[in-house]
Amino acid sequence: MAARQLNPAQLAAVHHLDGPCLVIAGAGSGKTSVITQKIARLLQAGYAAKNIGAITFTNKAAQEMRERATHLIGARAAKDLVISTFHSLGVRILRAEGPRVGLKEQFSILDSDDVLNVLKDAGGTTDMGQARHWQWTISLWKNQGYNAQDALKVAKDDDERAAAIVMERYQDRLSAYGAVDFDDLISLPLRLFASDAEARGKWQDTLRYLLVDEYQDTNSVQYELVKQLVGERAMFTAVGDDDQSIYGWRGATIENLKRLPQDFPQLKVIPLEQNYRSTSAILRAANNVIAVNPKIYEKKLWSEFGEGDPVALLEADGEEHEAERAVARINALRSEGKAPNYADFAILYRANHQARVFEKALRRAEIPYKVSGGQSFFDKAEIKDLCGWLRLLVNQDDDPAFLRAVTTPKRGIGHTTLGGLSEFSGKWKCSMFEALFAETLHTVLPRRAVDQLHEFGRTINELEFRCRTTFGAEDARVLLMDWLKDIGYEQHLLDSEENEKVGAARWSNVLDFVDWVSRRCGGQITQDGGATVEAEKQSVLQVAQTISVILSLAERGEEQDQVTLTTLHASKGLEWPHVFLAGVNEGLLPFKAEDEDMTPQRLEEERRLMYVGITRARTTLAVSTLRRRKKNRETVMGIPSRFIAEMRLHESQTKEDPREKLKKLREQMAAKAAVTAAAQSKAD
DNA sequence: TTGACTATCTTTTTT
DNA sequence: AGATAGTCAA
């Protein structure tokens, strides 16, 4: 967003420094400007950069905020700002205070896959679905601040009681491993601050002013952590929008917004209502929809961009037809010259699977597109396995990588052995890999286990040596294939999959990965012009070292001129000139599962989702419904979503179009004439 | 009864 | 794209 004079509400938000402040930032109201300007203001008021904390939910948001801040206040000042996600702030706290909560200094963080494996182990099942269900339930409990005992008390049925029991064993296992999961990154610092005034005071002194972005997405544990951090001084600014709270299903609660004025009576609430994104026609539809929800804080968006095109309401005969119409619309707007780029378009939908039909239609029309969200290549289990090995080669103290590598493929080293090893490494304050070669290891583990660990250690050392001394694409490929053969990875994939085809598909992903890594080891890289460029050869280890950087760059992707396909959830915070809202039907948006009954709260969240979708659009918005839609075997009648009526598109705008006025006048005169005529004929 | 193949059907997702 | 339920054959 271009630098622009702040409006009065934004200025008020930026300059309110002496107490707690809640900024209700409507969609497109320039909240990031407010946050970055406020940081600048805080520096001006004498706060040191290192004492200002800004908390976001995603790494992407944190990075963007840092970029904006750097732009505004310069790299030197920005570098000391504490801008991080809730989770990385948790890591920071735990790294410093780990021992106080019984954590070794080099604790591991398990990702979602690791957690699933531990749960399968702890719960004694191989059933993926069951493990997922436990993971989900346990995570929700943790996000409400419950430990295993609390969970057992609140468990409503046998299913939940079983989950609570698994949770207890899961926690035991985590502490044996010296590991934490994502949820612990918030709850452990909270527990620490609640019980340890010294640690709390220390962190309150470090983060003297706190800014919390997307406050409506906080869960109760995160809110408690914020409360502990800001303490009695209550120097903070929360920025959020109750109308854009769409993550209730994963523990976020707008109760946190209601509680804020109760917990901080001196709270200053500042709504930002001027929108710098959309036309009036679009904002009117958005305001009308969201007005149906009960409000916590009243606000109504407006903009200075004029009425603009009316919101288009489209009806399609079915999914395929809808996709065709989307394509037609893109082509039409482009040929009218209203949209120079494909990147000006987005197609938004409720559920991921809806993307498929659109992909097909776009491919056929040869329109470039990208599907945002969805699983990336590097999220696949087999790729993560191999990345685990490579990470361990690079940094042998990376315990999560160690755990992953040592257990895939299975080599007779189970949780008992690993528990012993972890305890040992915790006691001697070294990594698990280091512990593996300790002289005294045999005093805590049986001979056989120690032998197996040594065997693994030798494999790693040998592999590390070879990776360090192997250069160039061809040699790298040979080395990597040798390694996979040695550890029997292909067999492991084929064995662990019920279906041989699935196993083969996974193996083919592995081969792609080998190809990817070895190409990066150098030799020759062909540029797209066809010209071949000689690159410097790199060792396999060097490539492995940069892998995480390359991954995050690959994830970002170069900006290309493509139509965006994305879920409504993933669209929050983004904007496009032309937005196509697909499948706005009862059952889909609002979504309704077969067995579930719709609570008012659920419906309100769905309505907010619609609101988020509408407010993504800058200049044109098309809302599409299906007259027929596929359900089960047959095609059923599609009922337009109630949200369409709620947009009240037929209602004329406040400032009446002169042509409309004229039309109405004519009608009135005609009516009068009719009455007169009737009176005359009666008189006759 | 079991097993393989096919048809069907998907909520939303970050750390 | 991936899991799962259902179907058909041995």
Side-chain angles (χ1 to χ4, degrees):
Chain A
M1 216 173 282
R4 169 181 47 73
Q5 210 63 43
L6 295 180
N7 66 41
Q10 290 175 320
L11 280 173
V14 166
H15 289 283
H16 182 78
L17 300 184
D18 338 306
C21 182
L22 171 62
V23 181
I24 302 295
S29 63
K31 64 161 190 177
T32 312
S33 291
V34 168
I35 294 177
T36 47
Q37 294 276 0
K38 188 148 193 177
I39 289 172
R41 177 77 188 87
L42 286 162
L43 290 171
Q44 202 181 41
Y47 280 90
K50 65 176 184 354
N51 292 330
I52 301 172
I55 309 181
T56 63
F57 273 85
T58 65
N59 286 318
K60 193 172 157 228
Q63 196 170 332
E64 273 170 22
M65 191 175 291
R66 188 173 287 282
E67 275 164 22
R68 292 276 293 272
T70 305
H71 193 70
L72 191 68
I73 62 174
R76 186 180 296 187
K79 139 181 150 297
D80 291 333
L81 292 171
V82 182
I83 300 182
S84 74
T85 63
F86 267 105
H87 292 88
S88 42
L89 179 65
V91 173
R92 209 182 166 116
I93 295 169
L94 290 181
R95 289 252 185 267
E97 320 290 343
R100 291 181 192 242
V101 283
L103 220 53
K104 61 176 182 174
E105 264 161 83
Q106 281 299 110
F107 64 91
S108 315
I109 302 159
L110 302 186
D111 73 10
S112 163
D113 261 19
D114 299 327
V115 168
L116 218 52
N117 285 327
V118 176
L119 277 173
K120 280 204 275 195
D121 196 31
T125 180
T126 54
D127 183 355
M128 208 55 171
Q130 177 68 81
R132 270 220 190 90
H133 185 71
W134 284 336
Q135 183 181 25
W136 178 258
T137 315
I138 290 170
S139 177
L140 278 181
W141 276 332
K142 284 189 166 193
N143 285 333
Q144 292 169 73
Y146 298 152
N147 63 23
Q149 286 84 44
D150 302 332
L152 197 56
K153 272 179 228 144
V154 299
K156 289 191 297 288
D157 50 40
D158 284 347
D159 235 29
E160 291 198 357
R161 271 186 288 279
I165 288 161
V166 172
M167 179 173 175
E168 170 130 50
R169 310 211 352 224
Y170 166 75
Q171 292 298 21
D172 287 348
R173 203 140 298 181
L174 284 197
S175 53
Y177 285 160
V180 298
D181 63 22
F182 285 128
D183 302 320
D184 291 332
L185 293 177
I186 318 291
S187 55
L188 289 180
L190 173 61
R191 196 181 307 164
L192 168 74
F193 290 156
S195 64
D196 186 332
E198 195 193 323
R200 185 173 65 230
K202 183 179 140 194
W203 282 89
Q204 285 173 348
D205 276 352
T206 307
L207 299 172
R208 303 183 71 84
Y209 199 99
L210 212 58
L211 297 122
V212 185
D213 193 16
E214 303 281 15
Y215 180 75
Q216 77 283 351
D217 289 341
T218 51
N219 60 41
S220 25
V221 176
Q222 284 159 340
Y223 177 46
E224 288 302 324
L225 184 63
V226 168
K227 249 167 69 175
Q228 293 285 351
L229 275 171
V230 301
E232 292 289 313
R233 290 210 335 280
M235 287 302 182
F236 70 90
T237 298
V239 182
D241 182 0
D242 44 330
D243 292 333
Q244 291 185 73
S245 158
I246 53 175
Y247 286 108
W249 50 274
R250 65 177 195 211
T253 164
I254 41 176
E255 283 304 306
N256 288 352
L257 267 165
K258 293 188 192 155
R259 276 171 57 192
L260 212 53
Q262 292 159 16
D263 292 354
F264 300 94
Q266 71 284 40
L267 182 77
K268 171 107 173 160
V269 181
I270 301 171
L272 303 182
E273 298 179 293
Q274 182 171 3
N275 170 290
Y276 297 95
R277 178 184 295 156
S278 314
T279 64
S280 302
I282 291 167
L283 291 181
R284 190 168 351 103
N287 283 329
N288 287 343
V289 167
I290 206 65
V292 181
N293 272 4
K295 311 287 283 183
I296 305 177
Y297 300 97
E298 264 325 310
K299 88 174 132 37
K300 198 162 191 182
L301 296 180
W302 59 276
S303 81
E304 289 176 340
F305 295 143
E307 175 63 16
D309 288 354
V311 174
L313 188 57
L314 307 179
E315 274 185 74
D317 266 333
E319 283 83 352
E320 284 81 8
H321 183 219
E322 182 177 52
E324 278 166 32
R325 295 201 66 173
V327 168
R329 193 176 164 84
I330 290 169
N331 286 331
L333 284 164
R334 271 172 58 84
S335 62
E336 282 168 33
K338 284 194 177 169
N341 302 314
Y342 285 119
D344 292 337
F345 296 94
I347 298 171
L348 309 183
Y349 38 79
R350 177 61 228 261
N352 274 315
H353 71 266
Q354 292 175 268
R356 269 190 60 232
V357 192
F358 287 99
E359 282 187 75
K360 208 165 136 193
L362 290 166
R363 260 200 307 270
R364 192 154 53 193
E366 295 185 322
I367 294 174
Y369 66 87
K370 60 165 183 233
V371 186
S372 102
Q375 203 190 30
S376 95
F377 181 68
F378 297 99
D379 290 335
K380 293 177 191 296
E382 59 275 21
I383 304 303
K384 278 177 140 178
D385 283 346
L386 302 186
C387 285
W389 277 79
L390 295 180
R391 264 161 60 205
L392 184 61
L393 296 179
V394 171
N395 167 22
Q396 285 150 16
D397 293 334
D398 187 337
D399 281 358
F402 176 87
L403 285 171
R404 185 141 201 149
V406 80
T407 51
T408 42
K410 297 261 178 285
R411 50 172 52 72
I413 299 172
H415 72 259
T416 323
T417 306
L418 291 174
L421 184 66
S422 172
E423 202 176 313
F424 187 88
S425 71
K427 197 158 76 192
W428 296 98
K429 300 215 186 307
C430 63
S431 70
M432 291 174 83
F433 190 83
E434 234 177 304
L436 175 162
F437 286 117
E439 297 278 337
T440 50
L441 187 62
H442 67 269
T443 58
V444 292
L445 283 174
R447 171 103 259 145
R448 203 177 126 72
V450 174
D451 283 348
Q452 276 161 332
L453 286 171
H454 283 174
E455 170 77 31
F456 176 72
R458 272 195 299 277
T459 309
I460 291 295
N461 283 339
E462 202 177 301
L463 193 59
E464 193 268 341
F465 175 77
R466 288 187 65 194
C467 285
R468 191 149 37 85
T469 54
T470 302
F471 293 80
E474 281 320 302
D475 292 345
R477 181 184 308 275
V478 172
L479 164 58
L480 292 169
M481 290 311 290
D482 269 5
W483 156 51
L484 291 173
K485 200 170 165 209
D486 273 356
I487 64 174
Y489 197 70
E490 184 176 9
Q491 200 53 49
H492 160 73
L493 284 182
L494 295 177
D495 289 348
S496 59
E497 285 307 329
E498 300 281 311
N499 187 337
E500 202 174 313
K501 255 190 195 158
V502 176
R506 292 197 192 280
W507 177 243
S508 127
N509 286 335
V510 169
L511 294 180
D512 285 347
F513 180 72
V514 168
D515 198 54
W516 187 87
V517 173
S518 50
R519 252 186 298 135
R520 247 150 267 259
C521 286
Q524 299 187 328
I525 296 170
T526 312
Q527 304 292 87
D528 29 354
T532 314
V533 177
E534 191 78 33
E536 202 178 322
K537 289 184 176 179
Q538 280 189 297
S539 77
V540 178
L541 198 69
Q542 281 170 322
V543 171
Q545 225 147 29
T546 55
I547 218 160
S548 59
V549 182
I550 296 170
L551 290 190
S552 57
L553 285 179
E555 213 83 74
R556 304 215 118 221
E558 318 89 74
E559 291 294 307
Q560 282 184 21
D561 189 23
Q562 297 170 319
V563 173
T564 302
L565 300 183
T566 182
T567 61
L568 286 164
H569 282 92
S571 76
K572 187 155 75 95
L574 304 175
E575 60 176 44
W576 295 270
H578 306 287
V579 168
F580 188 96
L581 266 182
V584 188
N585 278 69
E586 281 298 307
L588 216 49
L589 180 65
F591 184 86
K592 170 141 168 19
E594 292 287 321
D595 45 356
E596 185 193 25
D597 49 8
M598 182 78 84
T599 63
Q601 292 89 313
R602 275 253 312 116
L603 182 62
E604 282 159 23
E605 183 155 318
E606 295 292 310
R607 187 173 285 115
R608 291 193 289 268
L609 206 47
M610 178 77 183
Y611 176 78
V612 166
I614 296 171
T615 52
R616 297 311 94 198
R618 293 170 72 97
T619 48
T620 81
L621 171 67
V623 178
S624 165
T625 58
L626 300 166
R627 230 172 292 155
R628 275 187 282 273
R629 73 192 182 92
K630 287 198 184 99
K631 186 158 190 194
N632 297 340
R633 182 160 313 166
E634 70 242 288
T635 323
V636 299
M637 185 105 110
I639 302 162
S641 166
R642 67 194 81 184
F643 299 151
I644 289 181
E646 290 173 5
M647 288 194 293
R648 297 193 290 176
L649 296 179
H650 58 278
E651 275 183 22
S652 61
Q653 55 248 43
T654 16
K655 220 172 149 190
E656 215 168 31
D657 187 325
R659 281 169 305 181
E660 286 291 321
K661 214 170 180 175
L662 201 65
K663 203 176 144 196
K664 261 193 199 150
L665 233 96
R666 276 211 199 98
E667 277 164 6
Q668 276 169 12
M669 271 161 61
K672 227 180 238 169
V675 172
T676 324
Q680 269 178 1
S681 68
K682 210 174 187 181
D684 284 349

